[in-house]
Amino acid sequence: MFKGSIVALITPMDEKGKICQQSLKKLINYHIKNGTSAIVAVGTTGESATLNPEEHSRVIMLTLDLADGRIPVIAGTGANATSESILLTKKFEKTGITACLTVTPYYNRPTQEGLYQHFKSISENSDLPQILYNVPARTGCDLVPETVIKLAKLKNIIGIKEATGDLSRIHLIKQYVKDDFIIFSGDDETALDFMQLGGNGVISVTANIAAAEMKKICSLALKKDFNTARLINQRLMPLHKVLFKEPNPIPVKWAAKKLGLIKTDTLRLPMTKISNSTKTILNQILEELKLYP
């Protein structure tokens, strides 16, 4: 159902921290123009942790409306309470949302059995396709391959975003799941290697500001032209790295503003503005890559 470069979309805000619909529309049009395969709305990069429940749903539905059927929209529906994640997921049934990206419950640090029961409960309470999301550096818990393999047998769990950067997990998962189970990288630095080992694509932060380049890398990788893809990826590697020099999405929002994709790089506390030292490095990289319009 999904493959290639999928963007983990930033959530643009105005100077007062309110959702900026004009910038959101501009971002969506930018991704459609540059061949991004799908949009993830209100994931980690979309600042799900600082949007209230009403805003969370509004941004997803606004993204769906502005996309207007031109690009698939995946809704971020993770929560640290299973009941909350079920309610959020059910909101998007029969709306046009194509799938949900559901992060492991954060802060609670559940056992593997707890993780299995969490995702099983969501699966049993919604017909929407579910993509698991494992990012232990953010959540404090790790969805291990053995649990992923068990979950892949459930009716509407269709894939995983694996953001550990551990390339060995691809083989561990792929050898025991069906061929149509989708495995996405959630780490731009290792995404090409991930695809060379059998991954289906990447849910990307870098794609927010280098959509055409990420699309090209993934398209080449899916055609098994890894040599050409690697040449492009080597050019982007400094960008992959600097976008995580400070907590995501601090650097990428600043870069998107500099490139004219959004009006402001406003973040909500406890996220703070980018440091001057990171600005200097990032600006130099944007110039070297000729990403400025």
Side-chain angles (χ1 to χ4, degrees):
M1 185 181 294
F2 300 109
K3 61 183 179 180
S5 175
I6 296 173
V7 64
L9 197 70
I10 55 178
T11 298
M13 301 174 186
D14 64 19
E15 293 85 351
K16 296 182 179 179
K18 295 184 178 180
I19 309 307
C20 180
Q21 182 171 336
Q22 184 178 354
S23 291
L24 183 59
K25 182 177 182 179
K26 190 170 186 177
L27 282 172
I28 292 166
N29 288 338
Y30 165 77
H31 285 288
I32 292 167
K33 178 183 177 181
N34 286 284
T36 299
S37 296
I39 289 170
V40 170
V42 197
T44 303
T45 309
E47 298 177 79
S48 57
T50 55
L51 297 183
N52 66 41
E54 181 183 348
E55 290 173 321
H56 191 128
S57 297
R58 178 172 168 256
V59 172
I60 290 170
M61 290 307 299
L62 190 55
T63 302
L64 185 66
D65 289 344
L66 293 171
D68 195 24
R70 296 173 295 163
I71 187 171
V73 177
I74 301 166
T77 56
N80 60 345
T82 305
S83 58
E84 183 180 345
S85 193
I86 290 170
L87 286 172
L88 190 54
T89 300
K90 289 178 74 66
K91 278 187 179 183
F92 303 114
E93 292 177 342
K94 300 178 182 178
T95 62
I97 289 293
T98 53
C100 292
L101 180 71
T102 311
V103 72
T104 54
Y106 40 87
Y107 189 77
N108 297 326
R109 300 181 67 194
T111 64
Q112 293 303 305
E113 178 62 20
L115 289 170
Y116 176 77
Q117 293 297 337
H118 171 79
F119 288 112
K120 180 173 179 284
S121 294
I122 297 169
S123 172
E124 289 173 344
N125 282 278
S126 176
D127 291 328
L128 274 172
Q130 302 292 313
I131 301 170
L132 311 171
Y133 179 14
N134 187 39
V135 57
R138 286 271 191 174
T139 62
C141 69
D142 186 7
L143 186 66
V144 302
E146 292 79 7
T147 307
V148 175
I149 291 161
K150 284 176 62 180
L151 287 166
K153 297 174 184 177
L154 302 181
K155 63 179 177 99
N156 55 348
I157 294 181
I158 65 166
I160 183 169
K161 176 185 177 182
E162 177 55 63
T164 60
D166 182 355
L167 296 174
S168 69
R169 294 195 173 200
I170 305 168
H171 176 68
L172 291 171
I173 294 169
K174 281 187 73 69
Q175 65 179 326
Y176 294 112
V177 298
K178 293 180 180 178
D179 289 342
D180 60 355
F181 188 78
I182 309 163
I183 307 178
F184 295 111
S185 170
D187 179 59
D188 283 302
E189 280 191 52
T190 58
L192 179 56
D193 294 323
F194 189 97
M195 292 186 71
Q196 191 161 4
L197 291 169
N200 301 99
V202 59
I203 297 179
S204 171
V205 174
T206 302
N208 276 284
I209 55 172
E213 291 80 0
M214 289 303 299
K215 187 260 184 182
K216 186 68 172 175
I217 290 168
C218 290
S219 295
L220 288 165
L222 290 169
K223 294 174 183 175
K224 310 296 183 185
D225 185 356
F226 296 107
N227 290 335
T228 309
R230 199 163 299 282
L231 292 174
I232 302 170
N233 196 56
Q234 284 171 347
R235 289 186 63 247
L236 285 188
M237 190 58 68
L239 183 60
H240 296 328
K241 290 179 180 294
V242 76
L243 290 180
F244 287 88
K245 187 173 175 61
E246 295 181 28
N248 178 44
I250 293 172
V252 75
K253 269 196 141 176
W254 182 84
K257 176 192 172 186
K258 287 290 287 184
L259 297 178
L261 293 170
I262 58 178
K263 287 186 175 181
T264 78
D265 60 336
T266 302
L267 299 137
R268 290 182 179 179
L269 288 171
M271 304 300 277
T272 53
K273 291 280 189 179
I274 190 171
S275 67
N276 287 332
S277 59
T278 303
K279 277 184 190 179
T280 300
I281 298 167
L282 183 48
N283 187 59
Q284 182 179 346
I285 292 169
L286 295 176
E287 289 178 347
E288 290 172 353
L289 291 173
K290 298 180 171 58
L291 291 178
Y292 282 105

